[in-house]
Amino acid sequence: MKRKYLYAAVAAVILICIGAAVFFLRPDQGEKLVKDFLNETLTKSEEQAGLYQALLDSPALIGEGVDAQTVEASEKQSRQAEEKWKEVYGVYLNDQGMDDFSKAMLGYMMDLYQQDETWEVTETTVTRDNDAYKFHVNMTVGENRQEIEGRAEVTDGKISSLDLTEL
């Protein structure tokens, strides 16, 4: 009878240890978010190409000599492109993160899509650094290797700050 209790106690301890290991060794959610964002953003795809093309095709036309109908149509097209943008990147970025992305990476990504080069992400590394996450991305663009490094801060499950230190 004592053996049954001993086996039950050993089984319970093993299950508790396995549960604790799974809980404590699971990847950090912020780290996963930053890595997913970088891989999504830097991977060439038709969806991404369409997103960047929508941005290129949607400048708001305003000013003297532009009729009201043209202004309204261009503003509508611009809003639609912005909504598509937020739909894709709003999963990863809050409003401040969107602004940081626009300042830090948007021009680079637009250039890649306009040059119609082939590129691929070869490695993405994200590590926790105090309140932020450092990242390092290795890419092959055409025949050249490129590296992107930076930091991202995550607040309430979204990237709230994005800073590139090397592009």
Side-chain angles (χ1 to χ4, degrees), residues 34-51:
V34 172
K35 190 171 189 171
D36 289 349
F37 164 73
L38 292 167
N39 287 332
E40 169 81 19
T41 302
L42 297 171
T43 298
K44 188 173 186 176
S45 70
E46 290 298 318
E47 179 186 14
Q48 294 283 358
L51 189 63

Side-chain angles (χ1 to χ4, degrees), residues 1 8 59 66 117 149:
M1 193 67 152
V66 179
E117 294 246 17
E149 292 183 356

Side-chain angles (χ1 to χ4, degrees), residues 30 33-38 40-41 48 51-52 82 84-106 109 135 151-163:
L33 176 75
V34 172
K35 190 171 189 171
D36 289 349
F37 164 73
L38 292 167
E40 169 81 19
T41 302
Q48 294 283 358
L51 189 63
Y52 287 104
E82 187 177 337
K84 283 182 188 177
W85 186 260
K86 285 186 178 184
E87 185 178 308
V88 171
Y89 288 106
V91 173
Y92 306 105
L93 305 167
N94 66 14
D95 290 338
Q96 180 61 46
M98 290 267 197
D99 289 343
D100 288 353
F101 175 79
S102 295
K103 292 173 190 170
M105 290 180 70
L106 182 60
M109 295 306 298
F135 58 84
R151 289 173 48 94
E153 293 180 20
V154 176
T155 306
D156 297 330
K158 294 199 178 192
I159 297 171
S160 58
S161 174
L162 184 65
D163 182 39

